[in-house]
Amino acid sequence: MIPKDPVMLLSYINTQLRDHYPSLGELCRSLDLSEAEIQKKLAAIDYHYDEKENKFV
């Protein structure tokens, strides 16, 4: 289960991207998560996915 708190979610997602997944799409497919929902939750705290960096910044 992924964290519900946006700041904890940010940390979790960026760690997963860094350590295990080459893209947000692959992470979401692998963990059966909604990519749009992840982006929406993190945009609420002003973080957006950067494809080149493969992380939320």
Side-chain angles (χ1 to χ4, degrees):
M1 184 162 213
I2 64 169
K4 295 192 185 296
D5 176 78
V7 175
M8 295 300 292
L9 178 63
L10 171 66
S11 177
Y12 174 79
I13 294 293
N14 275 345
T15 298
Q16 291 298 307
L17 288 169
R18 182 192 69 220
D19 294 346
H20 304 290
Y21 298 98
S23 70
L24 179 60
E26 190 163 322
L27 179 149
C28 290
R29 282 188 295 280
S30 179
L31 300 178
D32 195 29
L33 301 173
S34 165
E35 186 172 340
E37 190 64 31
I38 297 293
Q39 290 194 19
K40 180 181 172 184
K41 287 180 180 180
L42 295 180
I45 59 169
D46 204 27
Y47 280 83
H48 305 279
Y49 182 63
D50 181 324
E51 282 186 45
K52 289 182 182 179
E53 296 288 326
N54 191 35
K55 66 180 179 179
F56 281 85
V57 294

